Amino acid sequence: MSVLEEMRIRSLGVIDDAVVELSPGFTAVTGETGAGKTMVVTSLGLLLGGRADPALVRVGAKAAVVEGRITVAPGDAAALRAEEAGGEIEDGALIVSRTVSAEGRSRAHLGGRSVPVGVLAELADDLVAVHGQTDQQGLLKPARQRQALDRYAGSGVEGPHTAYAAAYRRLRAVVTELDELTTRARERAQEADLLRFGLEEVAAVEPLPGEDTELAAEAERLGHAEALASAAALAHTALAGNPEDPEGVDATTVVAAAGQSLDAVRAHDPALAALADRIGEISILLSDVAGELAGYADQLDADPLRLAAVEERRAALTALTRKYGEDISAVLAWAEGGASRLTELEGDDERIGELTAERDALRGELSALGQQLTDARTEAADRFAAAVTEELASLAMPHARVSFAIRQTEAPDEESGIDIGGRSVLYGPSGADEVELLLAPHPGAQPRPIAKGASGGELSRVMLAVEVVFAGSDPVPTYLFDEVDAGVGGKAAVEVGRRLAKLARSAQVVVVTHLPQVAAFADRQLLVEKTVDGSVTRSGVTVLEGEDRVRELSRMLAGQEDSETARAHAEELLATARTDG
């Protein structure tokens, strides 16, 4: 079992430099009001990853430092988490420290390794349960009471609660998507109509990729057909001659004559032979071009009807590019994307149907899981209430009875509820149950919420009883109670001390108390004292033994350390505690 052995506190509140040595069993921290007892709780809170308040730093100091030594056994959750964070455990001890600067900066170290403060908070879950006046106030909230009951119920609630939470999250997502689909149905219908119209326009024209470019070139050619034919004819005549003009001069004849003049002497000079070859190539090229010009002129279509058809087709394509893209390729891309989007929009009705079916199925699943949660909580509530009632009998409340009220609120309509026990009830992320802890302090009294049915002292004892019950079902190594005995006195205070001592048999218990009846049951009593300048120094936290402990208990009893009556009572308290132990 992990045990917090020691804390060193420097420059925190009224504490200048002090060491707090704790017992493995029951340690009581006592002292005058304002002496700094609560700083012990605050220090432990810092070690456990609590909020760092720069106002806690002692005036004149640069930073407050709290260092704790915890003994851990190999394999403990705390040891494993420390090793995961890179911390070292030496001789079975884990050193934890927290520094808070006056400027508000905070640093944490675990096993000699700097770690995020959140790592200390993770350790806290496995190491310490802290309870004080604020925790009692928290217990008054129904949500906290439901959490307490669920914690006690353990796996009986944990299993269905995990499944319920997952189904609840999925239902929220389905409902959100369904609401979006249905509330925007008109907008999507309008978008679908526009897409259909556009796609029908494109489909009616049936454009082909690159068709606009090809038709533009054809229109240009058809519009200048006569000029093109005339130019081709003149070029052909210049190259090949005109059969009707035998005397005419043409390029082919002239080049041929040049070639013939060189052929006669080419054998006498290789250079001239090369030039003759080039002239031959020119002659062949001229013949080819002349032939192609003749074919071009023959194939040229000057049909006005074809030109009209081309212009009409281009107008249809232009109407599309004006609306859906800068060219036909862009229009076709728009049509492809539009068809995909239309398929998506037209599938909304189908999607709405699917989501509606899933929503109904999830609501049915939540109903079944919610019923399991209700049944498990009801069963655990009976056991929990009986155990707490039994504990209260040990805390001088023998006639008190604790019970749980587990209720559900009727849903205004079926759509907003789930079925629990044949009724449509409201539900949330933790089920449909409203859990409230009730107390009947004496026979004949009607059970009332503990916020209304318990006095301050009774509430403290209920809180202690709840924690003792938890200790048996979900134990942690250390329990810290900050004046949880407030409002308790007399015989009840003795019973509180006796019960804390019993709890300390299975766990480490640290109690900040002003009650001598409680302190007397402690295995170790620490006295917090201020010096004359108002600070708590290293010598200001002392372990009380023998006569010193009797004197402190006397002071707590009567405000007089040397009162013979108080001393006798103090010795009697210690004797009673030893006898019970």
Side-chain angles (χ1 to χ4, degrees), residues 240 288 373 430 443 562 570:
D288 289 344
L373 281 173
S430 294
D562 299 323

Side-chain angles (χ1 to χ4, degrees), residues 7-49:
M7 284 195 303
R8 183 177 182 184
I9 309 166
R10 285 176 287 174
S11 302
L12 184 71
V14 299
I15 297 180
D16 179 24
D17 189 346
V19 175
V20 179
E21 299 178 2
L22 302 173
S23 165
F26 181 4
T27 299
V29 181
T30 65
E32 295 278 4
T33 300
K37 300 188 300 298
T38 300
M39 286 298 104
V40 175
V41 179
T42 303
S43 300
L44 187 54
L46 288 173
L47 283 183
L48 300 177

Side-chain angles (χ1 to χ4, degrees), residues 156-224:
V157 165
E158 184 179 2
H161 189 277
T162 299
Y164 177 96
Y168 181 84
R169 288 192 298 270
R170 177 56 189 160
L171 177 60
R172 292 298 93 199
V174 167
V175 169
T176 298
E177 184 179 355
L178 192 56
D179 287 345
E180 182 181 354
L181 287 175
T182 53
T183 55
R184 294 183 54 198
R186 180 178 299 177
E187 295 176 17
R188 286 192 300 276
Q190 292 173 347
E191 183 183 355
D193 286 343
L194 289 174
L195 284 173
R196 278 193 210 93
F197 178 80
L199 291 172
E200 288 172 359
E201 276 195 314
V202 174
V205 175
E206 296 184 337
L208 300 174
E211 184 182 4
D212 51 342
T213 303
E214 295 175 3
L215 288 177
E218 185 179 0
E220 185 71 14
R221 189 168 60 250
L222 289 173
H224 299 82

Side-chain angles (χ1 to χ4, degrees), residues 145 183 202 390 423-424 459 477 488 569:
Q145 294 172 12
T183 55
V202 174
E390 183 177 347
R423 299 182 301 139
S424 179
L459 182 57
V488 178
H569 191 182

Side-chain angles (χ1 to χ4, degrees), residues 99-173:
T99 302
V100 181
S101 72
E103 291 78 23
R105 293 188 300 274
S106 173
R107 292 177 308 184
H109 289 80
L110 180 64
R113 177 65 62 89
S114 178
V115 296
V117 173
V119 174
L120 301 188
E122 292 174 16
L123 280 180
D125 293 337
D126 297 314
L127 288 176
V128 180
V130 181
H131 293 288
Q133 296 297 307
T134 56
D135 297 279
Q136 292 186 35
Q137 295 303 313
L139 188 62
L140 302 181
K141 300 176 182 178
R144 286 285 299 276
Q145 294 172 12
R146 189 199 66 242
Q147 292 169 7
L149 177 59
D150 288 354
R151 175 185 163 196
Y152 177 81
S155 59
V157 165
E158 184 179 2
H161 189 277
T162 299
Y164 177 96
Y168 181 84
R169 288 192 298 270
R170 177 56 189 160
L171 177 60
R172 292 298 93 199

